[in-house]
Amino acid sequence: MTDLKLWYDTPAQAWTEALSIGNGRLGAMVFGGATRERLQLNEDTLWSGGPYNPVNPEALAHLDDVRNLLFAERYTEAEAAANRWLMGKPIKQMPFQPAADLWIEMTGIGEVADYRRELDLGTAIATTSFTADTLGIHREIFATAEDGVIALRIMAARPGTLSLRVTLTSLQKGAVRSPAIGTLRFEGHNSAAYGIDGALTFAVEGRVSTDGHLETGPQSVDVSGASEVTILIDAATSYVRFDDVSGDPVAKLTTRLDAATALGWRQLRENHIANHHALFSRLSIDLGETSAARLPTDQRIAANPHVADPALAALFVQYGRYLLLASSRPGTQPANLQGIWNDNLTPPWDSKYTTNINLQMNYWLADPANLAECIEPLLRLVQEVALTGRETARVHYGAPGWVLHHNTDIWRATAPIDGAKWGLWPTGGAWLCVQLWDHIRFGDDGLIADLYPALKGAAEFIAHVLVPLPDTDLLVTAPSLSPENVHPLGAALCYGPAMDSQIIRDLFDATIEAGDKLGLDPDLRTQLAKLKSQLPVDRIGKAGQLQEWLADWDMDVPEIHHRHVSHLYAVYPSAQITLEGTPELAAAARRSLETRGDDATGWGIGWRINLWARLRDGDRAHAVVQRLLSPDRTYPNLFDAHPPFQIDGNFGGAAGIIEMFVQSQNGEIHLLPSLPAAWPAGRVTGIRARGGIEVDLVWADGALVEAMLKGSGARTVSVLYGMNRVELTPHFDGSRVTIADFDNAHPAAPAGANRHDGAPED
Ligand code: FUC
């Protein structure tokens, strides 16, 4: 079994070398300095601004003008008018903010040697150890989801030899004081941004305890003559919900820190490991190991493009799972563009929630990687934007239901922002709904009623804003865009981009199926089925490519290698286009993907891995994995490089690797659909497939040896390996299939015309 550790033989200098820990709500970057340790701290509700309503009351009066300009093919004029009239106010959303830094200055230590720092993904504990003048010093730190705090302990091999000073600083407005012996607390206020006043108060507290001597000053805590020092850390804000900032941060963190203090280090550590292990150990992955695996992690990344290191890909998958557990737990905020790790007052793209790919990608891993619990924050976000988005739907479109465009923040702002060519895209909320519907397909039927109001509202909005395309029977979105691609007529703004129709088909299908299961809204279901039949179907263009737009513009765009591959949504994450169900469209999608090329931003590469996996080109998918796991796209701490750091590439890349081993779209389970030659032997356990089935696989010499499928025993599934198919009814205790079963099986019949191919239903 591969060692699941990130490790280094020098302390972190840059932030992207530091090790990330988190409990979903609190995050810390651990630099591991021997003489000076820095813990850069985040709390997931500390954002700029306060509750605000970004709607633009002038928008509706100009909506038809923009539509008419688009239908008159006057695209740049339409975009200019949209920029002038249709955008939200302010035209930006609020940034996610850093909370504080806790510093530990070791005093009077001699020469440092034997240095090593590591992050053990199996325990979610980061350690730093070294000798100082031959005296051994060992630090451990973890962020526990079980007890809600960050806990750090420093231990000296020889009793009474530790001396250190602890300080707390913050880039935010506020001040440090010491409310009790051994305690430092920063109490602060968040900042205004883009004209929205700061409305949050917050506090960060560190409590130091030791067997040595403790001296507490107003700005620092000094320890001397100690064998061990424990520091418990917490942070909290007054945020309660997007419309409520009445919380008491000091009361919140006092409750948690008092409870953690009472438990003590040993118990906290035990609780933390048990909590993490129960979730993390559900999936294992072994792709074999080469000598490269013995190198420090930063050197492995540097060497990976040239040296075979399959264990690095396995580590990357597990690190993705680790990051999800660390940044998204029930009750916390969803993982934002940087998860929960941000040291910057003005982070790239404000470290918020971009919903034209990035937030969705953050959750691609959750179900297949057997961490379904981590999705709860995303469901809550969708339920909240389904509330705030009603006002935007009404004021901007005169529509019922709700809308979310291409971004939101902690205040759940939903209006179009940044500029029309990025923001004026009405299907962000619809995509999120469809993604949660897909989560339900993995086996969480209990959520149908919880999701339904959001699904219904998203469908009602779209039903209202679809407009007839002049001189046709078609209905299209207008204004819209194909994220964020500029077409040959000099604008991104357009009508009826392929991705919108694809998302809307999935949205309407999901709403119809959910309404049917719940026995609700029969008239709406009839209406949606009718509207669906009027959406444009996917088209194949002059170069044999899948058309990104209604017009055949793809080959004439200014950026032929654009990072977004929006129209390939139908291949992944959707399954409207499949190799067997819609072979011509699948070939066209492949052509589009080839034209786009494999190089992109981190998340762009992550998407491409999933697409090549779905198109069952394992070697191509592997080549793209190698591109991601290179110093250009992966930092020394394994954070994804857009660049700069953006966490979606971690999640999307890891999901793509899993997609190479097991796929489960359209009621079938494919075993090893995209196994590359580079990984001829391996074993995975605990991949989840749609239908609530868990899959374990063993393969050797590039071929399946055996698979074990576990399920409720309620349903028979078709299991495919290569061209052969067997029918199975997986039970809880597992149903085993071996390569011999497939050898005896009949070749798989093509799955027939796919009902998601965009053609009207019978
Ligand atoms: C989308 C992408 C960018 C970036 C941003 C946060 O707009 O096009 O590449 O990832 O989101």
Side-chain angles (χ1 to χ4, degrees):
M1 183 59 200
T2 316
D3 194 15
L4 289 178
K5 284 179 179 166
L6 281 61
W7 72 274
Y8 308 84
D9 51 19
T10 54
Q13 303 294 331
W15 189 84
T16 46
E17 292 166 9
L19 292 169
S20 56
I21 59 167
N23 66 6
R25 188 182 63 80
L26 290 174
M29 294 299 282
V30 183
F31 282 66
T35 50
R36 188 168 190 248
E37 172 64 299
R38 175 186 178 197
L39 307 177
Q40 187 266 310
L41 302 168
N42 287 103
E43 203 274 352
D44 69 353
T45 61
L46 182 53
W47 294 56
S48 292
Y52 70 109
N53 180 358
V55 296
N56 179 353
E58 290 181 312
L60 183 56
H62 296 88
L63 180 61
D64 278 341
D65 298 344
V66 173
R67 277 182 180 148
N68 292 337
L69 285 169
L70 288 172
F71 289 140
E73 321 291 335
R74 292 160 62 184
Y75 295 98
T76 52
E77 288 166 75
E79 200 162 279
N83 276 324
R84 171 130 193 238
W85 299 112
L86 301 191
M87 303 309 290
K89 292 190 168 175
I91 201 165
K92 291 281 181 183
Q93 292 171 353
M94 300 300 113
F96 177 51
Q97 297 282 279
D101 290 277
L102 189 130
W103 306 86
I104 304 166
E105 203 102 30
M106 309 285 287
T107 36
I109 71 167
E111 198 180 328
V112 172
D114 304 324
Y115 179 91
R116 179 180 165 113
R117 67 189 169 101
E118 67 177 41
L119 174 64
D120 183 343
L121 304 184
T123 57
I125 295 178
T127 58
T128 306
S129 52
F130 53 92
T131 57
D133 275 346
T134 72
L135 292 179
I137 293 177
H138 184 76
R139 288 200 294 262
E140 288 191 1
I141 182 167
F142 56 86
T144 168
E146 186 70 29
D147 296 301
V149 300
I150 290 173
L152 172 140
R153 174 165 269 205
I154 309 168
M155 290 155 275
R158 191 178 306 163
T161 54
L162 280 179
S163 301
L164 53 88
R165 164 168 283 195
V166 180
T167 52
L168 189 60
T169 61
S170 175
L171 300 171
Q172 308 282 352
K173 289 185 296 264
V176 182
R177 63 188 186 93
S178 173
I181 290 170
T183 298
L184 294 175
R185 183 190 296 159
F186 182 90
E187 285 184 58
H189 199 285
N190 76 336
S191 51
Y194 308 117
I196 304 296
D197 287 342
L200 288 174
T201 58
F202 76 98
V204 182
E205 188 165 311
R207 294 188 183 180
V208 185
S209 59
T210 178
D211 62 350
H213 180 70
L214 199 60
E215 217 169 288
T216 311
Q219 305 283 322
S220 60
V221 172
D222 288 286
V223 174
S224 55
S227 312
E228 52 188 42
V229 180
T230 302
I231 308 180
L232 300 181
I233 302 161
D234 197 4
T237 77
S238 57
Y239 182 89
V240 178
R241 205 176 82 138
F242 62 87
D243 53 357
D244 181 355
V245 292
S246 66
D248 179 343
V250 172
K252 288 188 206 174
L253 60 73
T254 301
T255 307
R256 280 190 296 261
L257 283 170
D258 285 354
T261 306
L263 285 172
W265 166 263
R266 214 171 291 277
Q267 191 63 49
L268 285 171
R269 189 177 186 279
E270 213 172 280
N271 291 354
H272 163 68
I273 292 175
N275 174 298
H276 179 74
H277 185 76
L279 297 159
F280 186 76
S281 66
R282 287 179 186 161
L283 182 144
S284 72
I285 171 168
D286 183 354
L287 303 177
E289 201 170 290
T290 59
S291 59
R294 289 197 286 275
L295 292 170
T297 308
D298 47 347
Q299 293 178 31
R300 287 174 79 177
I301 297 162
N304 190 52
H306 323 290
V307 178
D309 187 1
L312 184 64
L315 185 71
F316 189 78
V317 171
Q318 294 290 27
Y319 184 59
R321 298 180 68 242
Y322 168 89
L323 289 174
L324 192 60
L325 284 167
S327 62
S328 184
R329 293 284 194 119
T332 72
Q333 293 300 312
N336 65 44
L337 286 172
Q338 298 188 185
I340 40 169
W341 298 279
N342 166 34
D343 65 336
N344 197 335
L345 287 172
T346 53
W349 293 283
D350 298 315
S351 194
K352 50 192 191 300
Y353 301 105
T354 305
T355 52
N356 63 15
I357 176 61
N358 317 85
L359 178 59
Q360 286 85 352
M361 187 177 281
N362 280 2
Y363 288 88
W364 284 356
L365 185 64
D367 279 302
N370 217 331
L371 295 173
E373 293 83 348
C374 296
I375 291 176
E376 189 274 345
L378 184 68
L379 173 63
R380 205 158 12 87
L381 177 142
V382 168
Q383 290 170 327
E384 292 176 355
V385 288
L387 300 175
T388 55
R390 282 195 172 268
E391 180 74 350
T392 310
R394 189 181 64 78
V395 175
H396 283 245
Y397 298 90
W402 63 278
V403 61
L404 166 65
H405 295 86
H406 95 304
N407 253 285
T408 189
D409 59 12
I410 195 146
W411 311 109
R412 305 302 184 238
T414 54
I417 61 154
D418 291 348
K421 67 192 266 200
W422 301 280
L424 202 54
W425 180 64
T427 35
W431 187 357
L432 287 171
C433 282
V434 166
Q435 175 151 352
L436 289 165
W437 181 252
D438 196 38
H439 162 67
I440 288 172
R441 284 203 190 108
F442 275 86
D444 206 345
D445 279 7
L447 285 185
I448 296 176
D450 292 344
L451 181 62
Y452 186 70
L455 268 179
K456 179 182 168 183
E460 285 174 329
F461 169 76
I462 297 285
H464 184 92
V465 299
L466 282 173
V467 285
L469 179 63
D471 306 322
T472 71
D473 297 334
L474 298 174
L475 292 174
V476 294
T477 49
S480 190
L481 47 91
S482 189
E484 306 172 359
N485 208 359
V486 172
H487 55 71
L489 297 179
L493 223 58
C494 67
Y495 52 84
M499 185 192 219
D500 278 0
S501 301
Q502 296 167 358
I503 290 174
I504 294 168
R505 275 195 284 279
D506 280 347
L507 175 73
F508 287 178
D509 279 346
T511 312
I512 291 168
E513 198 179 330
D516 186 44
K517 287 205 157 109
L518 298 170
L520 295 171
D521 303 315
D523 295 346
L524 177 67
R525 280 184 266 147
T526 310
Q527 184 201 0
L528 297 181
K530 164 115 193 354
L531 293 178
K532 187 186 158 194
S533 72
Q534 290 177 265
L535 293 167
V537 296
D538 283 316
R539 298 177 175 187
I540 297 175
K542 60 189 175 199
Q545 91 287 4
L546 189 74
Q547 279 183 215
E548 182 162 358
W549 297 274
L550 281 173
D552 193 358
W553 284 331
D554 300 52
M555 296 299 145
D556 307 314
V557 292
E559 260 192 86
I560 195 93
H561 303 304
H562 200 265
R563 61 198 179 285
H564 285 264
V565 280
S566 303
H567 52 317
L568 303 187
Y569 162 92
V571 177
Y572 184 98
S574 186
Q576 292 175 32
I577 295 178
T578 63
L579 286 171
E580 285 89 9
T582 57
E584 293 85 13
L585 291 176
R590 187 183 170 105
R591 179 84 184 92
S592 290
L593 193 52
E594 276 165 353
T595 307
R596 263 324 205 263
D598 291 339
D599 198 18
T601 56
W603 63 258
I605 292 177
W607 199 346
R608 284 158 173 78
I609 297 169
N610 286 279
L611 289 165
W612 284 120
R614 280 277 171 98
L615 295 172
R616 284 193 229 136
D617 192 332
D619 288 334
R620 188 77 178 251
H622 177 263
V624 186
V625 170
Q626 291 299 93
R627 202 177 269 278
L628 189 64
L629 295 182
S630 78
D632 285 349
R633 292 291 179 272
T634 299
Y635 290 109
N637 66 358
L638 273 192
F639 269 174
D640 170 67
H642 180 288
F645 166 51
Q646 207 169 280
I647 206 163
D648 38 24
N650 285 102
F651 295 132
I657 293 171
I658 291 182
E659 201 69 18
M660 294 163 76
F661 304 129
V662 176
Q663 291 176 20
S664 62
Q665 52 277 14
N666 294 334
E668 298 171 335
I669 297 183
H670 288 241
L671 306 179
L672 300 177
S674 280
L675 189 67
W679 299 335
R683 171 190 293 268
V684 293
T685 62
I687 293 180
R688 264 180 88 82
R690 291 175 184 79
I693 293 162
E694 246 182 71
V695 184
D696 301 348
L697 292 174
V698 182
W699 68 95
D701 299 325
L704 180 75
V705 175
E706 67 168 33
M708 171 80 93
L709 283 85
K710 294 178 204 143
S712 65
R715 249 176 14 103
T716 299
V717 289
S718 266
V719 183
L720 276 98
Y721 174 62
M723 289 307 291
N724 290 324
R725 174 194 303 270
V726 294
E727 304 293 326
L728 265 188
T729 311
H731 290 273
F732 282 126
D733 53 0
S735 305
R736 192 179 297 273
V737 279
T738 67
I739 185 71
D741 298 314
F742 288 104
D743 286 345
N744 297 328
H746 296 295
N754 187 308
R755 75 184 178 86
H756 292 293
D757 62 358
E761 301 218 286
D762 308 339

